[in-house]
Structures are given as C-alpha cells and as structure tokens.
Short mmCIF file of all heavy atoms in Angstrom, two decimals:
data_model
loop_
_atom_site.label_atom_id
_atom_site.label_comp_id
_atom_site.label_asym_id
_atom_site.label_seq_id
_atom_site.Cartn_x
_atom_site.Cartn_y
_atom_site.Cartn_z
N ASP A 262 30.72 13.69 -49.23
CA ASP A 262 31.72 13.39 -50.22
C ASP A 262 33.09 13.22 -49.57
O ASP A 262 33.39 13.73 -48.60
CB ASP A 262 31.85 14.82 -51.01
CG ASP A 262 30.65 15.07 -51.85
OD1 ASP A 262 29.90 14.19 -52.24
OD2 ASP A 262 30.39 16.35 -52.20
N PHE A 263 33.88 12.45 -50.34
CA PHE A 263 35.30 12.11 -49.76
C PHE A 263 36.31 12.63 -50.88
O PHE A 263 36.18 12.21 -52.09
CB PHE A 263 35.34 10.66 -49.53
CG PHE A 263 34.71 10.21 -48.23
CD1 PHE A 263 33.27 9.77 -48.38
CD2 PHE A 263 35.39 10.15 -47.02
CE1 PHE A 263 32.60 9.32 -47.23
CE2 PHE A 263 34.63 9.63 -45.89
CZ PHE A 263 33.32 9.34 -46.15
N TRP A 264 37.32 13.26 -50.40
CA TRP A 264 38.56 13.75 -51.33
C TRP A 264 39.79 13.16 -50.61
O TRP A 264 39.86 13.00 -49.44
CB TRP A 264 38.50 15.23 -51.35
CG TRP A 264 37.36 15.80 -52.12
CD1 TRP A 264 36.19 15.97 -51.57
CD2 TRP A 264 37.31 16.42 -53.39
NE1 TRP A 264 35.25 16.56 -52.53
CE2 TRP A 264 36.09 16.82 -53.55
CE3 TRP A 264 38.30 16.48 -54.35
CZ2 TRP A 264 35.64 17.47 -54.80
CZ3 TRP A 264 37.98 17.04 -55.52
CH2 TRP A 264 36.59 17.48 -55.74
N VAL A 265 40.67 12.74 -51.62
CA VAL A 265 41.96 12.29 -51.05
C VAL A 265 43.10 13.13 -51.55
O VAL A 265 43.12 13.62 -52.80
CB VAL A 265 42.30 10.88 -51.61
CG1 VAL A 265 43.65 10.46 -51.20
CG2 VAL A 265 41.18 9.88 -51.08
N TYR A 266 43.87 13.77 -50.62
CA TYR A 266 45.12 14.46 -51.00
C TYR A 266 46.21 13.59 -50.84
O TYR A 266 46.49 13.02 -49.82
CB TYR A 266 45.30 15.75 -50.03
CG TYR A 266 46.39 16.53 -50.48
CD1 TYR A 266 46.38 17.47 -51.59
CD2 TYR A 266 47.64 16.47 -49.85
CE1 TYR A 266 47.47 18.14 -52.03
CE2 TYR A 266 48.68 17.23 -50.21
CZ TYR A 266 48.62 17.95 -51.13
OH TYR A 266 49.78 18.56 -51.74
N ASP A 267 47.03 13.53 -51.83
CA ASP A 267 48.31 12.76 -51.95
C ASP A 267 49.58 13.58 -51.73
O ASP A 267 49.80 14.48 -52.65
CB ASP A 267 48.49 12.03 -53.39
CG ASP A 267 49.56 10.90 -53.39
OD1 ASP A 267 50.57 11.14 -52.77
OD2 ASP A 267 49.28 9.90 -53.96
N PHE A 268 50.40 13.39 -50.66
CA PHE A 268 51.42 14.20 -50.45
C PHE A 268 52.56 14.03 -51.29
O PHE A 268 53.31 14.94 -51.52
CB PHE A 268 52.05 13.91 -48.93
CG PHE A 268 51.00 14.39 -47.86
CD1 PHE A 268 50.31 13.55 -46.99
CD2 PHE A 268 51.10 15.74 -47.62
CE1 PHE A 268 49.52 14.06 -46.00
CE2 PHE A 268 50.29 16.23 -46.51
CZ PHE A 268 49.58 15.48 -45.69
N ASP A 269 52.58 12.70 -52.02
CA ASP A 269 53.71 12.60 -52.91
C ASP A 269 53.41 13.27 -54.24
O ASP A 269 54.40 13.87 -54.83
CB ASP A 269 53.78 11.00 -53.18
CG ASP A 269 54.30 10.28 -51.92
OD1 ASP A 269 54.90 10.84 -50.98
OD2 ASP A 269 53.81 9.17 -51.74
N THR A 270 52.28 13.24 -54.87
CA THR A 270 51.96 13.87 -56.04
C THR A 270 51.36 15.21 -56.03
O THR A 270 51.28 15.94 -56.92
CB THR A 270 50.86 12.98 -56.81
OG1 THR A 270 49.65 13.04 -56.07
CG2 THR A 270 51.41 11.44 -56.94
N LYS A 271 51.01 15.69 -54.71
CA LYS A 271 50.46 16.99 -54.44
C LYS A 271 49.11 17.11 -55.09
O LYS A 271 48.68 18.23 -55.51
CB LYS A 271 51.41 18.07 -54.79
CG LYS A 271 52.83 18.01 -54.42
CD LYS A 271 52.98 18.03 -52.86
CE LYS A 271 54.30 17.97 -52.32
NZ LYS A 271 54.51 17.79 -50.90
N GLU A 272 48.47 16.03 -55.40
CA GLU A 272 47.11 16.06 -56.11
C GLU A 272 45.97 15.85 -55.18
O GLU A 272 46.06 15.02 -54.18
CB GLU A 272 47.12 15.06 -57.14
CG GLU A 272 48.03 15.32 -58.32
CD GLU A 272 48.03 14.26 -59.50
OE1 GLU A 272 47.57 13.06 -59.17
OE2 GLU A 272 48.31 14.59 -60.54
N LEU A 273 44.81 16.48 -55.52
CA LEU A 273 43.57 16.23 -54.68
C LEU A 273 42.55 15.56 -55.67
O LEU A 273 42.27 16.05 -56.77
CB LEU A 273 42.87 17.52 -54.30
CG LEU A 273 41.70 17.62 -53.40
CD1 LEU A 273 41.87 16.98 -52.07
CD2 LEU A 273 41.26 19.10 -53.26
N LYS A 274 41.91 14.40 -55.27
CA LYS A 274 41.09 13.65 -56.05
C LYS A 274 39.86 13.34 -55.20
O LYS A 274 39.89 13.11 -54.14
CB LYS A 274 41.71 12.28 -56.52
CG LYS A 274 42.86 12.46 -57.46
CD LYS A 274 43.30 11.03 -57.89
CE LYS A 274 44.46 11.10 -58.91
NZ LYS A 274 44.84 9.80 -59.34
N GLN A 275 38.71 13.44 -55.89
CA GLN A 275 37.43 13.05 -55.42
C GLN A 275 37.20 11.63 -55.65
O GLN A 275 37.33 11.07 -56.67
CB GLN A 275 36.35 13.87 -56.05
CG GLN A 275 34.99 13.63 -55.35
CD GLN A 275 33.71 14.39 -55.78
OE1 GLN A 275 33.89 15.05 -56.74
NE2 GLN A 275 32.62 14.31 -55.16
N LEU A 276 36.76 10.98 -54.59
CA LEU A 276 36.32 9.43 -54.66
C LEU A 276 34.83 9.44 -55.25
O LEU A 276 34.10 10.24 -54.96
CB LEU A 276 36.50 8.85 -53.36
CG LEU A 276 37.86 8.72 -52.68
CD1 LEU A 276 37.72 8.09 -51.30
CD2 LEU A 276 38.84 7.93 -53.60
N GLY A 277 34.73 8.39 -55.93
CA GLY A 277 33.16 8.26 -56.41
C GLY A 277 32.70 9.30 -57.11
O GLY A 277 31.49 9.72 -56.96
N LYS A 278 33.50 10.05 -57.89
CA LYS A 278 33.01 11.43 -58.46
C LYS A 278 31.82 11.21 -59.41
O LYS A 278 31.08 12.20 -59.57
CB LYS A 278 34.09 12.09 -59.14
CG LYS A 278 34.64 11.31 -60.42
CD LYS A 278 35.74 12.21 -61.02
CE LYS A 278 36.39 11.67 -62.34
NZ LYS A 278 37.11 10.36 -62.09
N ASP A 279 31.50 9.95 -59.88
CA ASP A 279 30.36 9.83 -60.77
C ASP A 279 29.11 9.62 -60.06
O ASP A 279 28.10 9.42 -60.65
CB ASP A 279 30.66 8.83 -61.84
CG ASP A 279 31.76 9.06 -62.85
OD1 ASP A 279 31.84 10.39 -63.09
OD2 ASP A 279 32.41 8.29 -63.29
N PHE A 280 29.19 9.33 -58.71
CA PHE A 280 28.08 9.02 -57.87
C PHE A 280 27.40 10.28 -57.61
O PHE A 280 27.96 11.47 -57.52
CB PHE A 280 28.38 8.32 -56.57
CG PHE A 280 28.75 6.78 -56.81
CD1 PHE A 280 30.08 6.29 -56.42
CD2 PHE A 280 27.77 5.95 -57.44
CE1 PHE A 280 30.40 5.04 -56.68
CE2 PHE A 280 28.18 4.57 -57.52
CZ PHE A 280 29.47 4.14 -57.25
N PRO A 281 26.09 10.34 -57.13
CA PRO A 281 25.55 11.56 -56.70
C PRO A 281 26.13 12.24 -55.58
O PRO A 281 26.78 11.59 -54.83
CB PRO A 281 24.17 11.15 -56.34
CG PRO A 281 23.78 9.96 -56.92
CD PRO A 281 25.21 9.30 -57.12
N SER A 282 26.15 13.64 -55.59
CA SER A 282 26.76 14.38 -54.44
C SER A 282 26.27 13.94 -53.19
O SER A 282 25.06 13.59 -52.90
CB SER A 282 26.55 15.84 -54.64
OG SER A 282 27.02 16.69 -53.63
N SER A 283 27.18 13.87 -52.20
CA SER A 283 26.99 13.66 -50.73
C SER A 283 26.27 12.24 -50.54
O SER A 283 25.25 12.24 -49.80
CB SER A 283 25.92 14.72 -50.18
OG SER A 283 25.79 14.57 -48.80
N SER A 284 26.75 11.19 -51.18
CA SER A 284 26.21 9.93 -51.11
C SER A 284 27.07 8.71 -50.75
O SER A 284 26.65 7.64 -50.57
CB SER A 284 25.55 9.59 -52.54
OG SER A 284 26.56 9.31 -53.41
N LEU A 285 28.37 9.00 -50.32
CA LEU A 285 29.30 8.14 -49.99
C LEU A 285 29.35 7.98 -48.45
O LEU A 285 29.05 8.99 -47.80
CB LEU A 285 30.77 8.37 -50.49
CG LEU A 285 30.88 8.41 -51.97
CD1 LEU A 285 32.31 8.43 -52.36
CD2 LEU A 285 30.14 7.37 -52.77
N MET A 286 29.62 6.81 -47.90
CA MET A 286 29.77 6.50 -46.55
C MET A 286 30.83 5.85 -46.10
O MET A 286 31.33 4.88 -46.78
CB MET A 286 28.43 5.81 -46.05
CG MET A 286 27.19 6.46 -46.41
SD MET A 286 25.76 5.32 -45.94
CE MET A 286 25.64 5.67 -44.09
N PHE A 287 31.61 6.27 -45.05
CA PHE A 287 32.64 5.52 -44.39
C PHE A 287 33.84 5.12 -45.11
O PHE A 287 34.46 4.03 -44.93
CB PHE A 287 32.12 4.17 -43.72
CG PHE A 287 30.67 4.43 -43.06
CD1 PHE A 287 29.57 3.67 -43.41
CD2 PHE A 287 30.46 5.24 -42.06
CE1 PHE A 287 28.34 3.83 -42.91
CE2 PHE A 287 29.26 5.54 -41.39
CZ PHE A 287 28.17 4.81 -41.84
N ALA A 288 34.23 5.92 -46.09
CA ALA A 288 35.51 5.63 -46.87
C ALA A 288 36.74 5.45 -46.01
O ALA A 288 36.78 6.13 -45.02
CB ALA A 288 35.70 6.83 -47.90
N LYS A 289 37.43 4.56 -46.36
CA LYS A 289 38.58 4.13 -45.60
C LYS A 289 39.75 3.44 -46.47
O LYS A 289 39.42 2.70 -47.28
CB LYS A 289 38.41 3.39 -44.30
CG LYS A 289 37.75 2.00 -44.62
CD LYS A 289 37.37 1.28 -43.29
CE LYS A 289 36.22 1.94 -42.51
NZ LYS A 289 34.85 1.48 -43.10
#
C-alpha cells in the first residue's frame, strides 16, 4: 500500500484506495 503525506495541507491520503489491499507497485 502507498500513502502520501502532504506537508502543505497536513493530510494523509491512500493511493489507489479502491484497489485490493497490498496490490500496488513502484508508486512514484
């Protein structure tokens, strides 16, 4: 799983949250 924390908005978001758990690769 990949999550992005934004220093400007102070928010934590999950990428591809509608995909099955533990199924993303090489996010950049």
